[in-house]
Structures are given as structure tokens and as C-alpha cells.
Amino acid sequence: MACQARLDTVPYVGLPNVPYSQCEEWCKAGTALGITDLDVCSIAWNNPVPWRKIAGDFGEGAIMEQWAGYVLVLGFGVFFSIVTTIMVKLEQIYGGLVISSEHFNTAGRNIKTGLTAAVIVSQWTWAATLLQSSNVASQYGLSGPFWYAAGATVQILLFGILAIEIKKKAPNMHTFLEMIDVRWGKQAHMTFLFFGICTNLIVTGMLLQGGAAVVNAASGMHIVAANFLIPVGVILYT
């Protein structure tokens, strides 16, 4: 084992503030974990490298330059906007696609199983899903993200059954609010409309804040600028 060779060397040569006894303890822990190729005593585990002291302190500990954050946000947005626009135009020219409000809301009611699954995953993978799963992983190990994801499986299964029944009974429906309007009347419809708008605002804000926080931490890009620039790519083609 790599660290054992260091321990067998006389005199012992280790990192500053890493005495022989500490190296021996780390070596035993590494052996128990099956780490054989890495010299665990070559890393100062008791003196971690500081990453970012204060969020927003631009450039300190970021993994990329600040300009790279702007290029990443704007570049990806513009790239996908151009690709999406080209694909829509080609489908209009060669596929006879007619763009209307009905098509915008329902995608022509011609979504295959694979794309439906991709849409469900993308819509359920919020900023909190990625960030909080990483958080619980750091706190509880592998069981953290496992049980975090397990909690979402119940509603996905129930929603799948509900979606199938709605598709059978109301194939021309656009939103769940129409179903509530028909089944329970205008008062219930307005109540759920209020909650639906609030949910959309909260989720949109959470996605923007989560994305802006990640870009800010990675590049030092101003978090307010990130909040305003991230949606630009989506606005361009919608």
C-alpha cells in the first residue's frame, strides 16, 4: 500500500501538521476502505482547502472565470434557441406543421412515449431536486439521495394512473383546471386557478434562484444578472 511505504521510510517524511501517528491512522482507514493505490498521507485531510468564503466574492475559489459564467448562460441559451428555431422551421417546411395556440399548448397531441417520459423527468427535476439530493448525500451518505428520490415515486405512480384516466375521459383537455371547472364549477375553478398560478410563480422563482446560485458559486457571476439572463434563452424561442 502506498501510504505504508511512507510509514516504513526512515526517517518518516510527512506533510506539515501530519505526524506519524496521524498518518498511521489514515493508512489503516484507507486499508479498511480498500484504498491501495492512493497515498492517503499525501493529502492534508485535517486541513481542507477553502473554496469560497463568501458567496458573491467574485473570483475567490470559483472553478471558472467570471466571463465564462456569462458565456455559459448566454451561449447555451442562444445555441438552443437557434437549434429549436431551425427544427421548427424545417418541420413547418417539410412536415406541414402549422403553429397555433393549440399546438403550442399541447404539442399537437402527438407526443410519443419516449418524449413523454423525458418531459416528465425534466419537469420533475427541479433545482431543489439536484441541490437538495446532493445536500442529503453529504449529510447521510448514499441513503440520503435514495430516500429523497423514493419520496417522489409515490406521486409519480399516482399521476401516471390519473393521466391515463384523464386521457380516456377528456382527450381534448388542456389543463387540469378545465376538468375542475366541469366537475366542480366556477368557484372551485377559480380557487385552483389561484393555487396553480402561485405554484408556477414559486417553482419558476426556485428554478431561477437555484440556477443563479450555482452559476454564481461556480464563476462569480453576479446572482442578480444570472437571474435575469438565464430565462433569455427560453424567451427567444417562445
PDB file of all heavy atoms in Angstrom, residues 124 129 133 136 142-157:
ATOM      1  N   TRP A 124     -39.973  17.228 -13.448  1.00  0.00           N
ATOM      2  CA  TRP A 124     -39.891  16.854 -12.037  1.00  0.00           C
ATOM      3  C   TRP A 124     -38.501  17.110 -11.456  1.00  0.00           C
ATOM      4  O   TRP A 124     -38.324  17.134 -10.239  1.00  0.00           O
ATOM      5  CB  TRP A 124     -40.271  15.391 -11.852  1.00  0.00           C
ATOM      6  CG  TRP A 124     -41.738  15.190 -11.785  1.00  0.00           C
ATOM      7  CD1 TRP A 124     -42.619  15.284 -12.817  1.00  0.00           C
ATOM      8  CD2 TRP A 124     -42.531  14.883 -10.639  1.00  0.00           C
ATOM      9  NE1 TRP A 124     -43.896  15.048 -12.384  1.00  0.00           N
ATOM     10  CE2 TRP A 124     -43.874  14.791 -11.053  1.00  0.00           C
ATOM     11  CE3 TRP A 124     -42.229  14.660  -9.293  1.00  0.00           C
ATOM     12  CZ2 TRP A 124     -44.907  14.508 -10.177  1.00  0.00           C
ATOM     13  CZ3 TRP A 124     -43.257  14.365  -8.424  1.00  0.00           C
ATOM     14  CH2 TRP A 124     -44.580  14.294  -8.871  1.00  0.00           C
ATOM     15  N   THR A 129     -34.349  19.438  -6.500  1.00  0.00           N
ATOM     16  CA  THR A 129     -34.069  18.009  -6.651  1.00  0.00           C
ATOM     17  C   THR A 129     -32.576  17.759  -6.741  1.00  0.00           C
ATOM     18  O   THR A 129     -32.038  16.870  -6.065  1.00  0.00           O
ATOM     19  CB  THR A 129     -34.762  17.465  -7.914  1.00  0.00           C
ATOM     20  OG1 THR A 129     -36.165  17.727  -7.822  1.00  0.00           O
ATOM     21  CG2 THR A 129     -34.532  15.977  -8.059  1.00  0.00           C
ATOM     22  N   SER A 133     -30.687  16.876  -3.123  1.00  0.00           N
ATOM     23  CA  SER A 133     -30.210  15.492  -3.125  1.00  0.00           C
ATOM     24  C   SER A 133     -28.711  15.444  -2.851  1.00  0.00           C
ATOM     25  O   SER A 133     -28.220  14.549  -2.159  1.00  0.00           O
ATOM     26  CB  SER A 133     -30.527  14.827  -4.468  1.00  0.00           C
ATOM     27  OG  SER A 133     -29.900  15.514  -5.538  1.00  0.00           O
ATOM     28  N   VAL A 136     -28.344  16.139   1.017  1.00  0.00           N
ATOM     29  CA  VAL A 136     -28.604  14.988   1.894  1.00  0.00           C
ATOM     30  C   VAL A 136     -27.573  13.886   1.683  1.00  0.00           C
ATOM     31  O   VAL A 136     -27.311  13.090   2.596  1.00  0.00           O
ATOM     32  CB  VAL A 136     -30.047  14.444   1.686  1.00  0.00           C
ATOM     33  CG1 VAL A 136     -31.076  15.449   2.131  1.00  0.00           C
ATOM     34  CG2 VAL A 136     -30.283  14.052   0.234  1.00  0.00           C
ATOM     35  N   LEU A 142     -25.097   7.613   0.881  1.00  0.00           N
ATOM     36  CA  LEU A 142     -25.885   7.160  -0.260  1.00  0.00           C
ATOM     37  C   LEU A 142     -27.371   7.022   0.064  1.00  0.00           C
ATOM     38  O   LEU A 142     -28.217   7.143  -0.822  1.00  0.00           O
ATOM     39  CB  LEU A 142     -25.351   5.817  -0.777  1.00  0.00           C
ATOM     40  CG  LEU A 142     -23.963   5.847  -1.419  1.00  0.00           C
ATOM     41  CD1 LEU A 142     -23.529   4.451  -1.820  1.00  0.00           C
ATOM     42  CD2 LEU A 142     -23.947   6.767  -2.619  1.00  0.00           C
ATOM     43  N   SER A 143     -27.691   6.768   1.315  1.00  0.00           N
ATOM     44  CA  SER A 143     -29.097   6.612   1.676  1.00  0.00           C
ATOM     45  C   SER A 143     -29.862   7.922   1.558  1.00  0.00           C
ATOM     46  O   SER A 143     -31.079   7.922   1.375  1.00  0.00           O
ATOM     47  CB  SER A 143     -29.230   6.070   3.109  1.00  0.00           C
ATOM     48  OG  SER A 143     -28.684   7.001   4.040  1.00  0.00           O
ATOM     49  N   GLY A 144     -29.157   9.062   1.649  1.00  0.00           N
ATOM     50  CA  GLY A 144     -29.823  10.358   1.560  1.00  0.00           C
ATOM     51  C   GLY A 144     -30.535  10.581   0.240  1.00  0.00           C
ATOM     52  O   GLY A 144     -31.760  10.740   0.203  1.00  0.00           O
ATOM     53  N   PRO A 145     -29.807  10.590  -0.898  1.00  0.00           N
ATOM     54  CA  PRO A 145     -30.489  10.784  -2.184  1.00  0.00           C
ATOM     55  C   PRO A 145     -31.424   9.639  -2.542  1.00  0.00           C
ATOM     56  O   PRO A 145     -32.407   9.840  -3.261  1.00  0.00           O
ATOM     57  CB  PRO A 145     -29.332  10.902  -3.187  1.00  0.00           C
ATOM     58  CG  PRO A 145     -28.156  10.279  -2.506  1.00  0.00           C
ATOM     59  CD  PRO A 145     -28.347  10.551  -1.049  1.00  0.00           C
ATOM     60  N   PHE A 146     -31.133   8.407  -2.036  1.00  0.00           N
ATOM     61  CA  PHE A 146     -32.019   7.283  -2.339  1.00  0.00           C
ATOM     62  C   PHE A 146     -33.409   7.509  -1.763  1.00  0.00           C
ATOM     63  O   PHE A 146     -34.418   7.421  -2.470  1.00  0.00           O
ATOM     64  CB  PHE A 146     -31.427   5.987  -1.781  1.00  0.00           C
ATOM     65  CG  PHE A 146     -32.331   4.795  -1.945  1.00  0.00           C
ATOM     66  CD1 PHE A 146     -32.371   4.101  -3.138  1.00  0.00           C
ATOM     67  CD2 PHE A 146     -33.166   4.381  -0.909  1.00  0.00           C
ATOM     68  CE1 PHE A 146     -33.212   3.007  -3.306  1.00  0.00           C
ATOM     69  CE2 PHE A 146     -34.010   3.304  -1.055  1.00  0.00           C
ATOM     70  CZ  PHE A 146     -34.027   2.605  -2.266  1.00  0.00           C
ATOM     71  N   TRP A 147     -33.477   7.839  -0.482  1.00  0.00           N
ATOM     72  CA  TRP A 147     -34.785   8.056   0.145  1.00  0.00           C
ATOM     73  C   TRP A 147     -35.396   9.382  -0.273  1.00  0.00           C
ATOM     74  O   TRP A 147     -36.620   9.530  -0.277  1.00  0.00           O
ATOM     75  CB  TRP A 147     -34.646   7.980   1.670  1.00  0.00           C
ATOM     76  CG  TRP A 147     -34.397   6.590   2.135  1.00  0.00           C
ATOM     77  CD1 TRP A 147     -33.255   6.095   2.690  1.00  0.00           C
ATOM     78  CD2 TRP A 147     -35.307   5.487   2.055  1.00  0.00           C
ATOM     79  NE1 TRP A 147     -33.384   4.768   2.959  1.00  0.00           N
ATOM     80  CE2 TRP A 147     -34.636   4.366   2.587  1.00  0.00           C
ATOM     81  CE3 TRP A 147     -36.604   5.334   1.582  1.00  0.00           C
ATOM     82  CZ2 TRP A 147     -35.230   3.114   2.652  1.00  0.00           C
ATOM     83  CZ3 TRP A 147     -37.205   4.092   1.659  1.00  0.00           C
ATOM     84  CH2 TRP A 147     -36.528   3.002   2.182  1.00  0.00           C
ATOM     85  N   TYR A 148     -34.557  10.339  -0.647  1.00  0.00           N
ATOM     86  CA  TYR A 148     -35.084  11.602  -1.187  1.00  0.00           C
ATOM     87  C   TYR A 148     -35.835  11.329  -2.489  1.00  0.00           C
ATOM     88  O   TYR A 148     -36.925  11.855  -2.717  1.00  0.00           O
ATOM     89  CB  TYR A 148     -33.936  12.585  -1.415  1.00  0.00           C
ATOM     90  CG  TYR A 148     -34.386  13.938  -1.906  1.00  0.00           C
ATOM     91  CD1 TYR A 148     -34.747  14.935  -1.002  1.00  0.00           C
ATOM     92  CD2 TYR A 148     -34.439  14.237  -3.265  1.00  0.00           C
ATOM     93  CE1 TYR A 148     -35.154  16.187  -1.437  1.00  0.00           C
ATOM     94  CE2 TYR A 148     -34.844  15.480  -3.712  1.00  0.00           C
ATOM     95  CZ  TYR A 148     -35.205  16.444  -2.797  1.00  0.00           C
ATOM     96  OH  TYR A 148     -35.618  17.671  -3.234  1.00  0.00           O
ATOM     97  N   ALA A 149     -35.248  10.500  -3.354  1.00  0.00           N
ATOM     98  CA  ALA A 149     -35.904  10.153  -4.618  1.00  0.00           C
ATOM     99  C   ALA A 149     -37.089   9.221  -4.385  1.00  0.00           C
ATOM    100  O   ALA A 149     -38.101   9.301  -5.092  1.00  0.00           O
ATOM    101  CB  ALA A 149     -34.899   9.502  -5.568  1.00  0.00           C
ATOM    102  N   ALA A 150     -36.967   8.343  -3.390  1.00  0.00           N
ATOM    103  CA  ALA A 150     -38.055   7.401  -3.125  1.00  0.00           C
ATOM    104  C   ALA A 150     -39.336   8.126  -2.739  1.00  0.00           C
ATOM    105  O   ALA A 150     -40.444   7.663  -3.045  1.00  0.00           O
ATOM    106  CB  ALA A 150     -37.640   6.428  -2.011  1.00  0.00           C
ATOM    107  N   GLY A 151     -39.200   9.273  -2.082  1.00  0.00           N
ATOM    108  CA  GLY A 151     -40.386  10.021  -1.691  1.00  0.00           C
ATOM    109  C   GLY A 151     -41.170  10.555  -2.872  1.00  0.00           C
ATOM    110  O   GLY A 151     -42.376  10.824  -2.750  1.00  0.00           O
ATOM    111  N   ALA A 152     -40.505  10.723  -4.030  1.00  0.00           N
ATOM    112  CA  ALA A 152     -41.192  11.257  -5.214  1.00  0.00           C
ATOM    113  C   ALA A 152     -41.816  10.166  -6.073  1.00  0.00           C
ATOM    114  O   ALA A 152     -42.595  10.471  -6.984  1.00  0.00           O
ATOM    115  CB  ALA A 152     -40.211  12.074  -6.060  1.00  0.00           C
ATOM    116  N   THR A 153     -41.485   8.919  -5.809  1.00  0.00           N
ATOM    117  CA  THR A 153     -42.005   7.842  -6.659  1.00  0.00           C
ATOM    118  C   THR A 153     -43.510   7.637  -6.468  1.00  0.00           C
ATOM    119  O   THR A 153     -44.199   7.251  -7.410  1.00  0.00           O
ATOM    120  CB  THR A 153     -41.272   6.530  -6.362  1.00  0.00           C
ATOM    121  OG1 THR A 153     -41.424   6.205  -4.961  1.00  0.00           O
ATOM    122  CG2 THR A 153     -39.801   6.651  -6.683  1.00  0.00           C
ATOM    123  N   VAL A 154     -44.005   7.905  -5.262  1.00  0.00           N
ATOM    124  CA  VAL A 154     -45.421   7.662  -4.981  1.00  0.00           C
ATOM    125  C   VAL A 154     -46.299   8.558  -5.839  1.00  0.00           C
ATOM    126  O   VAL A 154     -47.219   8.092  -6.529  1.00  0.00           O
ATOM    127  CB  VAL A 154     -45.730   7.883  -3.483  1.00  0.00           C
ATOM    128  CG1 VAL A 154     -47.216   7.698  -3.218  1.00  0.00           C
ATOM    129  CG2 VAL A 154     -44.912   6.937  -2.630  1.00  0.00           C
ATOM    130  N   GLN A 155     -46.022   9.863  -5.834  1.00  0.00           N
ATOM    131  CA  GLN A 155     -46.858  10.768  -6.617  1.00  0.00           C
ATOM    132  C   GLN A 155     -46.681  10.579  -8.116  1.00  0.00           C
ATOM    133  O   GLN A 155     -47.614  10.820  -8.899  1.00  0.00           O
ATOM    134  CB  GLN A 155     -46.602  12.231  -6.239  1.00  0.00           C
ATOM    135  CG  GLN A 155     -45.162  12.673  -6.247  1.00  0.00           C
ATOM    136  CD  GLN A 155     -44.529  12.606  -4.890  1.00  0.00           C
ATOM    137  OE1 GLN A 155     -44.698  11.641  -4.175  1.00  0.00           O
ATOM    138  NE2 GLN A 155     -43.785  13.657  -4.524  1.00  0.00           N
ATOM    139  N   ILE A 156     -45.502  10.126  -8.556  1.00  0.00           N
ATOM    140  CA  ILE A 156     -45.316   9.863  -9.981  1.00  0.00           C
ATOM    141  C   ILE A 156     -46.197   8.691 -10.412  1.00  0.00           C
ATOM    142  O   ILE A 156     -46.844   8.726 -11.470  1.00  0.00           O
ATOM    143  CB  ILE A 156     -43.833   9.578 -10.293  1.00  0.00           C
ATOM    144  CG1 ILE A 156     -43.015  10.859 -10.148  1.00  0.00           C
ATOM    145  CG2 ILE A 156     -43.671   9.014 -11.700  1.00  0.00           C
ATOM    146  CD1 ILE A 156     -41.541  10.684 -10.395  1.00  0.00           C
ATOM    147  N   LEU A 157     -46.233   7.650  -9.598  1.00  0.00           N
ATOM    148  CA  LEU A 157     -47.084   6.497  -9.914  1.00  0.00           C
ATOM    149  C   LEU A 157     -48.556   6.890  -9.925  1.00  0.00           C
ATOM    150  O   LEU A 157     -49.315   6.508 -10.831  1.00  0.00           O
ATOM    151  CB  LEU A 157     -46.837   5.375  -8.901  1.00  0.00           C
ATOM    152  CG  LEU A 157     -45.451   4.716  -8.958  1.00  0.00           C
ATOM    153  CD1 LEU A 157     -45.287   3.737  -7.806  1.00  0.00           C
ATOM    154  CD2 LEU A 157     -45.249   4.001 -10.284  1.00  0.00           C
TER     155      LEU A 157
END
